[in-house]
């Protein structure tokens, strides 16, 4: 029996969350209820790995799409700070 480590489970969970977020974000322009669902998914991803810049970028993009421009500044600045380049 293979024993999965906590890190392995987190990586699998992260992949599933990433897919769920992308699907919700794609559906959001057609049905606004999906904006909040996508935001929740990306916020969860950010909590799982606070050093990854990608969830912050996605959160900012969604907030901009929702017309919440001033709210988009914090996650984008945080993402820029976390970007290794």
């Amino acid at each position: 029996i293979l024993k999965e480590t906590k890190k392995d489970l987190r990586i699998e969970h992260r992949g599933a969350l990433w897919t769920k977020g992308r699907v919700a974000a794609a559906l959001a322009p057609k049905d606004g209820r999906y904006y909040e669902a996508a935001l929740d998914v990306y916020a969860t991803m950010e909590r799982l790995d606070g050093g990854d810049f990608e969830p912050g970028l996605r959160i900012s993009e969604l907030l901009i799409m929702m017309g919440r421009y001033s709210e988009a500044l914090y996650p984008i600045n945080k993402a820029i700070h976390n970007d290794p380049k």
Side-chain angles (χ1 to χ4, degrees):
I1 297 174
L2 293 174
K3 185 174 182 180
E4 291 180 303
T5 66
K6 189 174 183 178
K7 182 179 178 182
D8 293 333
L9 290 174
R10 189 183 75 166
I11 290 169
E12 284 184 23
H13 187 226
R14 188 176 188 278
L17 282 173
W18 185 254
T19 300
K20 182 178 178 180
R22 288 185 64 199
V23 169
L27 291 171
K30 296 178 180 167
D31 186 342
R33 295 175 293 177
Y34 288 100
Y35 282 117
E36 291 299 329
L39 286 173
D40 288 343
V41 168
Y42 291 128
T44 299
M45 290 180 66
E46 197 169 46
R47 283 191 302 275
L48 283 174
D49 188 3
D52 186 3
F53 68 94
E54 195 72 31
L57 290 176
R58 301 298 155 235
I59 290 169
S60 291
E61 289 174 350
L62 287 165
L63 290 170
I64 290 167
M65 291 169 65
M66 297 168 73
R68 294 162 55 180
Y69 304 107
S70 60
E71 289 178 65
L73 291 174
Y74 176 75
I76 193 111
N77 285 331
K78 186 176 175 184
I80 290 167
H81 176 73
N82 288 340
D83 187 354
K85 293 181 181 181

Short mmCIF file of all heavy atoms in Angstrom, two decimals, residues 53-83:
data_model
loop_
_atom_site.label_atom_id
_atom_site.label_comp_id
_atom_site.label_asym_id
_atom_site.label_seq_id
_atom_site.Cartn_x
_atom_site.Cartn_y
_atom_site.Cartn_z
N PHE A 53 1.99 33.18 -6.79
CA PHE A 53 1.41 34.43 -7.28
C PHE A 53 0.17 34.23 -8.13
O PHE A 53 -0.66 35.13 -8.27
CB PHE A 53 2.45 35.23 -8.06
CG PHE A 53 2.87 34.60 -9.36
CD1 PHE A 53 2.24 34.95 -10.53
CD2 PHE A 53 3.88 33.65 -9.39
CE1 PHE A 53 2.62 34.36 -11.73
CE2 PHE A 53 4.26 33.06 -10.58
CZ PHE A 53 3.64 33.42 -11.76
N GLU A 54 -0.02 33.05 -8.69
CA GLU A 54 -1.11 32.80 -9.65
C GLU A 54 -2.51 33.03 -9.09
O GLU A 54 -3.34 33.69 -9.73
CB GLU A 54 -0.98 31.39 -10.21
CG GLU A 54 -1.81 31.16 -11.44
CD GLU A 54 -1.26 31.87 -12.67
OE1 GLU A 54 -0.05 32.06 -12.79
OE2 GLU A 54 -2.08 32.23 -13.53
N PRO A 55 -2.86 32.52 -7.89
CA PRO A 55 -4.22 32.77 -7.38
C PRO A 55 -4.53 34.25 -7.23
O PRO A 55 -5.65 34.69 -7.54
CB PRO A 55 -4.23 32.06 -6.03
CG PRO A 55 -3.19 31.01 -6.13
CD PRO A 55 -2.13 31.60 -7.01
N GLY A 56 -3.56 35.03 -6.80
CA GLY A 56 -3.78 36.48 -6.66
C GLY A 56 -4.07 37.15 -7.98
O GLY A 56 -4.92 38.04 -8.07
N LEU A 57 -3.38 36.72 -9.03
CA LEU A 57 -3.65 37.26 -10.36
C LEU A 57 -5.07 36.93 -10.80
O LEU A 57 -5.78 37.78 -11.35
CB LEU A 57 -2.66 36.69 -11.38
CG LEU A 57 -1.22 37.15 -11.29
CD1 LEU A 57 -0.37 36.42 -12.32
CD2 LEU A 57 -1.12 38.65 -11.49
N ARG A 58 -5.49 35.69 -10.57
CA ARG A 58 -6.84 35.28 -10.96
C ARG A 58 -7.90 36.03 -10.17
O ARG A 58 -8.94 36.42 -10.71
CB ARG A 58 -7.01 33.77 -10.79
CG ARG A 58 -6.05 32.94 -11.58
CD ARG A 58 -6.21 33.14 -13.09
NE ARG A 58 -4.95 32.82 -13.73
CZ ARG A 58 -4.29 33.64 -14.53
NH1 ARG A 58 -4.77 34.82 -14.82
NH2 ARG A 58 -3.15 33.28 -15.07
N ILE A 59 -7.65 36.22 -8.88
CA ILE A 59 -8.60 36.98 -8.05
C ILE A 59 -8.74 38.40 -8.59
O ILE A 59 -9.84 38.92 -8.75
CB ILE A 59 -8.15 36.99 -6.57
CG1 ILE A 59 -8.32 35.59 -5.97
CG2 ILE A 59 -8.92 38.04 -5.76
CD1 ILE A 59 -7.68 35.40 -4.61
N SER A 60 -7.61 39.04 -8.91
CA SER A 60 -7.65 40.40 -9.47
C SER A 60 -8.40 40.45 -10.79
O SER A 60 -9.20 41.35 -11.01
CB SER A 60 -6.23 40.94 -9.65
OG SER A 60 -5.63 41.17 -8.41
N GLU A 61 -8.14 39.49 -11.66
CA GLU A 61 -8.84 39.46 -12.94
C GLU A 61 -10.35 39.37 -12.75
O GLU A 61 -11.12 40.07 -13.41
CB GLU A 61 -8.38 38.27 -13.78
CG GLU A 61 -6.98 38.42 -14.33
CD GLU A 61 -6.50 37.16 -15.04
OE1 GLU A 61 -7.18 36.11 -14.95
OE2 GLU A 61 -5.44 37.24 -15.68
N LEU A 62 -10.78 38.50 -11.84
CA LEU A 62 -12.21 38.34 -11.58
C LEU A 62 -12.81 39.62 -11.00
O LEU A 62 -13.91 40.03 -11.41
CB LEU A 62 -12.46 37.16 -10.65
CG LEU A 62 -12.27 35.79 -11.27
CD1 LEU A 62 -12.17 34.72 -10.20
CD2 LEU A 62 -13.38 35.48 -12.26
N LEU A 63 -12.11 40.23 -10.08
CA LEU A 63 -12.63 41.48 -9.49
C LEU A 63 -12.75 42.57 -10.54
O LEU A 63 -13.73 43.33 -10.55
CB LEU A 63 -11.72 41.93 -8.34
CG LEU A 63 -11.78 41.05 -7.09
CD1 LEU A 63 -10.68 41.44 -6.11
CD2 LEU A 63 -13.16 41.12 -6.42
N ILE A 64 -11.80 42.64 -11.46
CA ILE A 64 -11.88 43.62 -12.55
C ILE A 64 -13.08 43.30 -13.44
O ILE A 64 -13.84 44.20 -13.83
CB ILE A 64 -10.56 43.64 -13.36
CG1 ILE A 64 -9.46 44.28 -12.50
CG2 ILE A 64 -10.73 44.38 -14.68
CD1 ILE A 64 -8.05 44.10 -13.04
N MET A 65 -13.28 42.02 -13.75
CA MET A 65 -14.42 41.63 -14.58
C MET A 65 -15.75 41.98 -13.90
O MET A 65 -16.75 42.25 -14.58
CB MET A 65 -14.37 40.13 -14.86
CG MET A 65 -13.24 39.72 -15.78
SD MET A 65 -12.98 37.93 -15.87
CE MET A 65 -14.50 37.38 -16.61
N MET A 66 -15.74 42.01 -12.56
CA MET A 66 -16.94 42.33 -11.80
C MET A 66 -17.10 43.83 -11.60
O MET A 66 -18.08 44.27 -11.01
CB MET A 66 -16.88 41.64 -10.44
CG MET A 66 -16.87 40.12 -10.52
SD MET A 66 -16.46 39.32 -8.94
CE MET A 66 -17.99 39.60 -8.04
N GLY A 67 -16.14 44.62 -12.08
CA GLY A 67 -16.20 46.06 -11.92
C GLY A 67 -15.74 46.54 -10.55
O GLY A 67 -15.96 47.67 -10.17
N ARG A 68 -15.07 45.67 -9.80
CA ARG A 68 -14.61 46.00 -8.44
C ARG A 68 -13.12 46.35 -8.50
O ARG A 68 -12.26 45.69 -7.94
CB ARG A 68 -14.90 44.83 -7.51
CG ARG A 68 -16.39 44.60 -7.34
CD ARG A 68 -16.78 43.25 -6.81
NE ARG A 68 -16.16 42.87 -5.56
CZ ARG A 68 -16.40 41.70 -4.95
NH1 ARG A 68 -17.24 40.83 -5.49
NH2 ARG A 68 -15.80 41.40 -3.82
N TYR A 69 -12.84 47.45 -9.20
CA TYR A 69 -11.47 47.82 -9.54
C TYR A 69 -10.60 48.11 -8.32
O TYR A 69 -9.46 47.65 -8.26
CB TYR A 69 -11.47 49.02 -10.48
CG TYR A 69 -12.28 48.76 -11.72
CD1 TYR A 69 -13.52 49.37 -11.91
CD2 TYR A 69 -11.82 47.89 -12.71
CE1 TYR A 69 -14.27 49.13 -13.05
CE2 TYR A 69 -12.57 47.64 -13.85
CZ TYR A 69 -13.79 48.25 -14.01
OH TYR A 69 -14.53 48.00 -15.12
N SER A 70 -11.10 48.86 -7.38
CA SER A 70 -10.27 49.21 -6.22
C SER A 70 -9.93 47.97 -5.39
O SER A 70 -8.83 47.86 -4.84
CB SER A 70 -10.93 50.28 -5.36
OG SER A 70 -12.17 49.83 -4.87
N GLU A 71 -10.85 47.01 -5.32
CA GLU A 71 -10.59 45.77 -4.59
C GLU A 71 -9.53 44.91 -5.30
O GLU A 71 -8.87 44.09 -4.66
CB GLU A 71 -11.86 44.93 -4.44
CG GLU A 71 -12.87 45.52 -3.48
CD GLU A 71 -14.11 44.66 -3.43
OE1 GLU A 71 -14.01 43.50 -2.99
OE2 GLU A 71 -15.17 45.15 -3.86
N ALA A 72 -9.39 45.09 -6.59
CA ALA A 72 -8.45 44.29 -7.38
C ALA A 72 -7.00 44.69 -7.13
O ALA A 72 -6.09 43.92 -7.42
CB ALA A 72 -8.77 44.42 -8.87
N LEU A 73 -6.78 45.87 -6.56
CA LEU A 73 -5.41 46.34 -6.36
C LEU A 73 -4.61 45.51 -5.36
O LEU A 73 -3.45 45.20 -5.59
CB LEU A 73 -5.42 47.81 -5.93
CG LEU A 73 -5.85 48.80 -7.00
CD1 LEU A 73 -5.95 50.20 -6.41
CD2 LEU A 73 -4.90 48.77 -8.17
N TYR A 74 -5.22 45.16 -4.23
CA TYR A 74 -4.47 44.43 -3.20
C TYR A 74 -4.00 43.06 -3.69
O TYR A 74 -2.81 42.75 -3.59
CB TYR A 74 -5.30 44.30 -1.91
CG TYR A 74 -4.58 43.47 -0.88
CD1 TYR A 74 -3.51 43.99 -0.17
CD2 TYR A 74 -4.95 42.15 -0.62
CE1 TYR A 74 -2.82 43.23 0.76
CE2 TYR A 74 -4.27 41.38 0.30
CZ TYR A 74 -3.21 41.93 1.00
OH TYR A 74 -2.53 41.17 1.91
N PRO A 75 -4.88 42.21 -4.24
CA PRO A 75 -4.38 40.91 -4.69
C PRO A 75 -3.37 40.99 -5.83
O PRO A 75 -2.45 40.19 -5.90
CB PRO A 75 -5.63 40.12 -5.09
CG PRO A 75 -6.75 41.07 -5.07
CD PRO A 75 -6.33 42.30 -4.35
N ILE A 76 -3.51 42.00 -6.70
CA ILE A 76 -2.54 42.09 -7.80
C ILE A 76 -1.19 42.55 -7.27
O ILE A 76 -0.14 42.05 -7.69
CB ILE A 76 -3.03 42.98 -8.96
CG1 ILE A 76 -2.14 42.77 -10.18
CG2 ILE A 76 -2.98 44.44 -8.65
CD1 ILE A 76 -2.80 42.10 -11.30
N ASN A 77 -1.19 43.47 -6.31
CA ASN A 77 0.08 43.90 -5.72
C ASN A 77 0.74 42.76 -4.95
O ASN A 77 1.96 42.59 -5.00
CB ASN A 77 -0.13 45.11 -4.82
CG ASN A 77 -0.34 46.38 -5.62
OD1 ASN A 77 0.16 46.52 -6.73
ND2 ASN A 77 -1.09 47.31 -5.06
N LYS A 78 -0.07 41.97 -4.26
CA LYS A 78 0.47 40.82 -3.54
C LYS A 78 1.04 39.80 -4.52
O LYS A 78 2.10 39.22 -4.30
CB LYS A 78 -0.64 40.18 -2.70
CG LYS A 78 -0.16 39.07 -1.81
CD LYS A 78 -1.29 38.57 -0.93
CE LYS A 78 -0.85 37.38 -0.12
NZ LYS A 78 -1.93 36.82 0.67
N ALA A 79 0.35 39.58 -5.63
CA ALA A 79 0.83 38.65 -6.66
C ALA A 79 2.14 39.12 -7.25
O ALA A 79 3.07 38.33 -7.45
CB ALA A 79 -0.23 38.48 -7.74
N ILE A 80 2.24 40.40 -7.53
CA ILE A 80 3.48 40.96 -8.07
C ILE A 80 4.62 40.76 -7.08
O ILE A 80 5.73 40.38 -7.45
CB ILE A 80 3.30 42.45 -8.42
CG1 ILE A 80 2.37 42.58 -9.64
CG2 ILE A 80 4.64 43.12 -8.69
CD1 ILE A 80 1.87 43.99 -9.88
N HIS A 81 4.34 40.96 -5.81
CA HIS A 81 5.35 40.77 -4.77
C HIS A 81 5.80 39.30 -4.70
O HIS A 81 6.97 39.02 -4.48
CB HIS A 81 4.79 41.22 -3.42
CG HIS A 81 5.72 40.97 -2.28
ND1 HIS A 81 6.85 41.72 -2.08
CD2 HIS A 81 5.70 40.05 -1.30
CE1 HIS A 81 7.49 41.26 -1.03
NE2 HIS A 81 6.81 40.25 -0.53
N ASN A 82 4.87 38.36 -4.90
CA ASN A 82 5.18 36.93 -4.81
C ASN A 82 5.77 36.35 -6.09
O ASN A 82 6.28 35.24 -6.08
CB ASN A 82 3.93 36.13 -4.44
CG ASN A 82 3.53 36.33 -3.01
OD1 ASN A 82 4.32 36.75 -2.18
ND2 ASN A 82 2.28 36.05 -2.70
N ASP A 83 5.68 37.09 -7.21
CA ASP A 83 6.19 36.59 -8.47
C ASP A 83 7.71 36.51 -8.41
O ASP A 83 8.38 37.50 -8.11
CB ASP A 83 5.77 37.52 -9.61
CG ASP A 83 6.11 36.99 -10.99
OD1 ASP A 83 6.78 35.95 -11.09
OD2 ASP A 83 5.71 37.62 -11.96
#
